[in-house]
Amino acid sequence: EELGVEIGELEYLTSQPNEYPFGEVPYRTLDLFFTAKVLPDAVLTPQDDVSEIFYCSILELEPERFAFQSTRKAFLKLLEK
């Protein structure tokens, strides 16, 4: 949704509990993570909360810099695949 792109095959990866602070209220959520294949002719276009798009190796990503622990855990699960 944040890249304005249609995807093909979608596969469930994992679910992780999370706490999302909004204002003064910490909302408990359940984050669902999926992997998806981008269609070959897809054009990525930054939307809403995306300031730029760049490509890198998955091994270059630094999970300790991810905003949420749930995302870090999902990323490590992805690396196990």
Side-chain angles (χ1 to χ4, degrees):
E1 104 189 55
E2 299 296 340
L3 298 176
V5 65
E6 290 188 40
I7 56 173
E9 184 180 331
L10 187 68
E11 184 178 330
Y12 173 78
L13 178 64
T14 189
S15 300
Q16 297 291 327
N18 193 8
E19 192 169 281
Y20 182 77
F22 186 76
E24 299 291 320
V25 180
Y27 290 94
R28 292 183 178 191
T29 64
L30 180 63
D31 297 344
L32 306 176
F33 295 89
F34 295 83
T35 60
K37 295 191 181 209
V38 176
L39 300 176
D41 58 346
V43 176
L44 304 180
T45 306
Q47 309 278 321
D48 297 332
D49 298 328
V50 177
S51 61
E52 69 177 316
I53 299 169
F54 64 92
Y55 295 90
C56 67
S57 163
I58 194 169
L59 300 176
E60 292 178 70
L61 297 175
E62 301 172 18
E64 63 275 6
R65 296 186 65 193
F66 295 175
F68 299 107
Q69 183 175 355
S70 61
T71 308
R72 288 190 290 276
K73 288 180 177 181
F75 178 75
L76 295 174
K77 181 86 169 176
L78 178 63
L79 291 179
E80 291 173 5
K81 286 184 82 173

